[in-house]
Amino acid sequence: MNKETVMQELEALGKERTKKIYLSNGAREPLFGVATGAMKPIAKKIKINQQLAEELYATGNYDAMYFAGIIADPKAMKVSDFERWIKGAYFYMLSDYVVAVTLSESDLAQDVANQWIASDEELTSSAGWSCYCWLLGNRKDEEFSKSKISNMLDMVSKSIHDSPERVKSSMNNFIYTVGVSYLPLHEKAIETAKSIGTIEINQHKKKSSLLDAYSNIQKEIDRDRLGFKRKYVRC
């Protein structure tokens, strides 16, 4: 399949209702409104194709950009490729759920995510924190530096209330993920969550939402999901 064929198939799968949902979350034209689950049959035909993924991501069409993340080959991508992708990620569903997810399956993940976390660009920093969430929720605890993750919790504790909205959300998710999926710092994550309390997030064209990492960690403990790791990151 080539770019034109994929775009035609995606367009045929588009739904107006889904399109409106994406637009309400910050997506912009062009897009078709394809449910992520509806993309799976096309992905099975293509499997992994980095060149096609690059062509689709470059279209600027949200559905094509999301699909690009599904068929990308993260281990073949260079730092410059990830930098190009994050620059094209114009709202959080791309930065945190396409680019960060794709990066998390790369051997470059932690190095690139560390750089992004330090960025002044809201979505770039958010993607860096989100990447660590995907990593911690999938890879073995031994693959991470305990002191590094501990320092990141300290950073969150000091800066979350003054951070941009999407960074706040990703930082909150980081505390939750450490508390549930990274056992060496489970207790510290709980203490960090308690200390920061409830976080208010002002959302795009929506009412503000309240995030409480401590309560969410406790829910996972009650469900006996402490130490949970995803088998796969991408769909």
Side-chain angles (χ1 to χ4, degrees):
M1 297 180 75
N2 57 25
K3 182 184 76 172
E4 289 70 26
T5 306
V6 173
M7 293 298 287
Q8 289 170 6
E9 294 211 14
L10 289 174
E11 184 173 12
L13 293 169
K15 303 290 183 184
E16 193 62 31
R17 184 170 177 232
T18 305
K19 181 176 179 178
K20 287 179 179 178
I21 292 171
Y22 292 159
L23 289 169
S24 72
N25 278 282
R28 65 191 183 206
E29 296 284 1
L31 76 164
F32 304 129
V34 184
T36 56
M39 296 180 179
K40 289 183 179 180
I42 311 175
K44 285 182 179 179
K45 295 179 190 176
I46 299 171
K47 297 182 180 178
I48 299 297
N49 187 324
Q50 182 59 29
Q51 179 58 42
L52 180 55
E54 292 288 357
E55 292 174 10
L56 291 169
Y57 197 86
T59 64
N61 177 296
Y62 169 67
D63 301 291
M65 295 172 82
Y66 191 99
F67 186 72
I70 296 175
I71 65 168
D73 182 359
K75 294 188 182 300
M77 294 177 72
K78 301 175 183 178
V79 172
S80 58
D81 298 321
F82 288 113
E83 291 293 344
R84 184 174 62 257
W85 278 40
I86 194 61
K87 285 179 182 176
Y90 63 85
F91 80 124
Y92 80 94
M93 288 174 68
L94 288 170
S95 62
D96 295 358
Y97 296 103
V98 176
V99 183
V101 169
T102 306
L103 175 60
S104 74
E105 293 197 358
S106 164
D107 295 335
L108 304 169
Q110 292 191 53
D111 289 339
V112 174
N114 291 338
Q115 294 176 29
W116 286 0
I117 284 171
S119 173
D120 291 330
E121 293 291 332
E122 180 176 1
L123 293 180
T124 301
S125 182
S126 176
W129 287 105
S130 293
C131 181
Y132 264 97
C133 294
W134 297 113
L135 286 168
L136 290 164
N138 170 252
R139 298 192 186 184
K140 295 178 180 179
D141 290 348
E142 305 85 71
E143 295 186 40
F144 303 92
S145 162
K146 182 179 177 180
S147 61
K148 166 67 177 175
I149 303 301
S150 180
N151 289 338
M152 291 173 72
L153 285 173
D154 292 338
M155 188 189 308
V156 171
S157 182
K158 293 175 183 175
S159 61
I160 188 168
H161 289 287
D162 298 319
S163 295
E165 301 307 296
R166 284 311 312 173
V167 179
K168 281 184 187 177
S169 181
S170 296
M171 283 180 165
N172 186 80
N173 195 34
F174 175 78
I175 299 170
Y176 161 81
T177 307
V178 174
V180 173
S181 298
Y182 187 66
L183 294 180
L185 290 173
H186 166 72
E187 294 297 336
K188 181 167 183 175
I190 288 179
E191 291 306 313
T192 303
K194 283 181 180 178
S195 69
I196 68 168
T198 302
I199 304 296
E200 183 175 4
I201 305 293
N202 294 312
Q203 301 185 90
H204 176 79
K205 296 181 180 180
K206 293 182 179 181
K207 293 181 180 179
S208 61
S209 62
L210 299 176
L211 304 179
D212 184 353
Y214 176 72
S215 293
N216 288 331
I217 293 171
Q218 290 302 316
K219 287 177 184 176
E220 296 305 302
I221 293 172
D222 293 342
R223 294 170 182 163
D224 196 26
R225 282 165 57 89
L226 200 59
F228 169 76
K229 299 283 186 180
R230 295 181 186 85
K231 188 174 182 180
Y232 302 104
V233 178
R234 287 191 290 176
C235 298

